[in-house]
Amino acid sequence: PLVNGWPCDPERTLVAHVPAERRIVSFGSGYGGNSLLGKKCFALRIASRMACDEGWLAEHMLILGVTSPSGRKRYMAAAFPSACGKTNLAMMTPALPGWRVHCVGDDIAWMKFDAEGRLRAINPERGFFGVAPGTSAKTNPNAMATIARNTIFTNVGHTSDGGVYWEGLDQSLPPGVTLTSWLGQPWSPGDPQPCAHPNSRFCAPAHQCPIMDPAWEDPEGVPIDAIIFGGRRPEGVPLVYEAFNWRHGVFVGSAMRSEATAAAEHKGGRILHDPFAMRPFFGYNAGRYLAHWLAMGERAGARLPRLFHVNWFLRDPAHPRHFLWPGFGHNARVLAWIFGRVEGEDSAQATPVGWVPREGALDLRGLPGVAHRDLFEVRKEFWEKEARELRAYYEENFGEDLPREVMAELEALEGRLKKM
C-alpha cells in the first residue's frame, strides 16, 4: 500500500517564501500548491520576482496554438483563476468546423521578448495538475485521453473495481460496482456530501495529451499574438471584449474579478478581485507588478500582443441556473474572432469597456437561442457600480503603490460611462 510520508500537520502549517533569496519553506500543508514546490511556489511566486528583476514575465496562464481553416496559426496565452476553465480551453476540441487547437501548457507561462520584439512563451512544467470534478468525455475529451493511464489522482472517489470517480464524470457504473468517497466512506449518488473533494486533482505527464503542440518543448518558446484575461462573472461582463491598447489591457487585467473557486479555498458564489489571476501568487508588491507590465509595453521595438477579456459564465436572468453561452468547444468561436482581430480584421465596435464583436462578426450559426445582444450588453448602472467597487479595491489594496497610469484608465472608464 502507498504510505504517505509528507509531513501533514494542519495545526502547525508554515508556508513561507523569501523571493530575494529564491527560497521556499513549506511544512505541514498537504495542499498541492504548497507541496509541489516547483509549481506555484517557484514557477509563479519566486519566478515572478525573478522576472521583474530580469525583464520578463512569469504568469498564471495557459498557452495554446490556434490554427484557422486556411492553415494560419497563432499562439495565445490566457489568465483565468483556478477552476475557471484553463485546462478545458488549453485542451479544447473546437466545435467550429475547420479550426484546430494545440496545447502548449494549461497553467503557467514564462514569457520574454526575443531579438525581433516578439513576446515568446514557454511552459515550464512537464505535466498537468488539473481539477478532476467536471472533467468528462463531454467537457474535455482530450483530458480524459491524457489521464487514461500513468496518472496520479488525489482526493477523488474510487470504485470497487479499481477505478476513480468524481462529480461530473458522466460515466455509468457497471452492475454491482460500488463507490467509496474521498473520505473513505461508502457513497451513493444523491448523498448530501460529494464523492470527490471539489478540488480533487489528476496529475499526468504532458506528452500523454493527444493534442500537445509540436513546439511545446521548444526552448525558444512560441510567439504570443494575444493575451486573454477572464473569470466567472454571472452578469454584466460581455462574452468577449478587446482592450483599446496595452495600457488599457493592463488595467483590464488588474480589474479581473471572479466567483470564488474551491482552489481558492473560499465558498463558491462570492465575487473576488483577482488581478491577472495572480492574487494568490504575487511574489512581490502588486503595485510594482502592474508597473512591470506597463514597462513591458514601453520596450523599444516591442511587437505587443493584443489584450482581451472573456467571460464564458453569463447566466440567463430569467433562468439563473442556465448559462447564456454553451462554452467548452464552442469557445472556439470566440477564439476565431480574436484570431481575426490579430489578423487585422475590422470586426469590432467600441463600447465604454472595450471593443466587442460587431453583430454578425461572431459566428453563432447552429446555436439556437443564443442572441448577440444578450452576450454583449454593456449596462451603465452595472459598470458604474463596478468602477466604484474597483476604485475602493485599489485604495484599500494598492494605495500609493497603484501606478498612476492604472488610475488614469479607471478615470477614463468613468468618463466614458458618464457619456452613455
Side-chain angles (χ1 to χ4, degrees), residues 13 38 43 46 99 133 185 269 359 378 383 390:
T13 294
I46 299 297
W99 290 82
Q185 303 298 318
E359 187 151 8
V378 176
W383 281 97
L390 183 58

Side-chain angles (χ1 to χ4, degrees), residues 137-386:
K138 178 181 178 182
T139 62
N140 196 335
N142 289 313
M144 294 300 290
T146 301
I147 64 177
R149 62 183 178 88
N150 191 32
T151 298
I152 297 172
F153 298 93
T154 57
N155 295 335
V156 299
H158 61 91
T159 64
S160 58
D161 61 352
V164 292
Y165 185 86
W166 52 78
E167 279 63 31
L169 183 60
D170 290 340
Q171 289 183 358
S172 57
L173 296 174
V177 172
T178 58
L179 291 166
T180 301
S181 77
W182 73 282
L183 294 171
Q185 303 298 318
W187 190 89
S188 297
D191 283 0
Q193 299 300 320
C195 186
H197 189 282
N199 197 28
S200 55
R201 299 278 176 155
F202 56 79
C203 186
H207 66 79
Q208 294 180 187
C209 177
I211 61 162
M212 287 307 289
D213 193 89
W216 85 275
E217 291 185 291
D218 186 340
E220 297 300 315
V222 297
I224 299 299
D225 292 303
I227 295 175
I228 304 168
F229 304 116
R232 289 179 176 266
R233 297 304 303 271
E235 64 169 329
V237 178
L239 174 67
V240 59
Y241 62 94
E242 180 182 354
F244 295 125
N245 51 50
W246 182 267
R247 193 175 88 166
H248 180 235
V250 173
F251 164 72
V252 170
S254 76
M256 281 174 56
R257 302 177 73 187
S258 185
E259 281 188 320
T261 70
E265 297 181 2
H266 289 277
K267 293 182 178 180
R270 182 181 169 198
I271 303 292
L272 298 175
H273 289 271
D274 196 351
F276 285 74
M278 283 284 286
R279 183 182 57 84
F281 309 121
F282 288 123
Y284 61 104
N285 178 282
R288 283 183 57 206
Y289 170 92
L290 296 182
H292 179 54
W293 265 83
L294 290 167
M296 295 292 277
E298 299 296 325
R299 292 173 66 99
R303 297 159 62 183
L304 297 174
R306 292 184 180 231
L307 305 182
F308 298 83
H309 188 283
V310 299
N311 176 26
W312 317 132
F313 302 97
L314 281 168
R315 292 184 181 271
D316 185 346
H319 303 91
R321 297 185 66 181
H322 297 161
F323 291 107
L324 290 173
W325 181 247
F328 303 113
H330 292 288
N331 293 337
R333 299 169 186 266
V334 174
L335 296 185
W337 181 77
I338 292 173
F339 190 105
R341 293 293 291 166
V342 169
E343 295 270 290
E345 290 183 4
D346 182 13
S347 59
Q349 64 184 41
T351 74
V353 302
W355 297 97
V356 302
R358 284 204 191 105
E359 187 151 8
L362 185 71
D363 189 341
L364 300 180
R365 290 174 295 178
L367 296 179
V370 177
H372 183 277
R373 64 182 178 276
D374 295 334
L375 301 173
F376 297 105
E377 182 183 15
V378 176
R379 301 199 318 270
K380 180 178 182 178
E381 64 277 9
F382 174 88
W383 281 97
E384 286 179 334
K385 181 173 182 288
E386 193 81 358

Side-chain angles (χ1 to χ4, degrees), residues 30-36 39-40 82-83 86-87 91 106-107 125-132 146-147 151-155 199-206 263:
Y31 180 71
N34 297 334
S35 50
L36 301 173
K39 193 170 172 62
K40 307 296 192 186
S82 293
K86 287 200 311 298
T87 301
M91 297 187 187
D106 79 325
D107 194 38
E125 301 188 278
R126 291 283 298 170
F128 301 110
F129 186 59
V131 176
T146 301
I147 64 177
T151 298
I152 297 172
F153 298 93
T154 57
N155 295 335
N199 197 28
S200 55
R201 299 278 176 155
F202 56 79
C203 186

